[in-house]
Amino acid sequence: MAAALVAAAALSGCANTAPSPTTTPPAASAAESATATAAPDTTAPNPAPTTAAPAPAGTRACKAADLSLALVGDEGGGGMMKQAYNLRFTNRSQSGCQLWGSPGVSFVTGDNGQQVGEPATRIERNQGKQVVVQPGATASSPLTITNPNAYPPERCGLAQVRGLRVYAPGDTASMFVDTPQQACSTLGSATMSVGVVD
């Protein structure tokens, strides 16, 4: 009888033993894992190769939070009154995404990013192609800026700008390139043109 009581007590003690707690780190919230506006990148790294094949079904569009942006001079595309550049979009995310069409570009000034003058003219999307940008790879879009001195001062309305506000094709969140210069504020027509991403 005593042996039975001892065995029952031992079993009772096992049943009341709580399991060791486990710790699972909380998942990062969406706000912590992505930002609405990509940080500007004004360096000119050697671009990694892009994949220009048609985007596989389900390939998501690149967003500002996926990209870093650099403005790089194009010595072969300028002229007396025009400067040629390339906007380089680098995929800093962990998965491939696609760009298709022309980015939106405008001059901005002030701490609040007030637009100066007209936005760049854009090429129709159907003249471009879907470009899949793999992690770490880069895709470019040509940008031409006309020198404001090419216009009569009374028409141009010279203004000092801080740089460029850029929207990746199809995106609604902007990126910023720090490039102080003068631009026309009252001309009424675009002094920039931007091509499709390639």
Side-chain angles (χ1 to χ4, degrees), residues 167-180:
Y167 293 89
D171 196 11
T172 57
S174 65
M175 293 171 279
F176 176 75
V177 177
D178 185 18
T179 174

Side-chain angles (χ1 to χ4, degrees), residues 79-155:
M80 287 291 292
M81 285 295 177
K82 294 186 177 182
Q83 296 293 323
Y85 300 92
N86 282 297
L87 290 166
R88 287 184 179 167
F89 299 92
T90 300
N91 183 357
R92 60 181 185 170
S93 75
Q94 299 301 308
S95 61
C97 60
Q98 59 97 1
L99 294 169
W100 184 10
S102 297
V105 183
S106 58
F107 286 118
V108 292
T109 192
D111 293 337
N112 61 350
Q114 179 181 352
Q115 182 173 314
V116 174
E118 299 294 321
T121 58
R122 303 166 75 172
I123 303 298
E124 293 293 329
R125 181 178 179 178
N126 60 15
Q127 296 184 37
K129 60 188 176 184
Q130 290 176 301
V131 177
V132 178
V133 190
Q134 299 296 346
T138 298
S140 296
S141 177
L143 175 69
T144 302
I145 302 176
T146 302
N147 189 323
N149 295 326
Y151 305 98
E154 63 275 13
R155 287 188 57 213

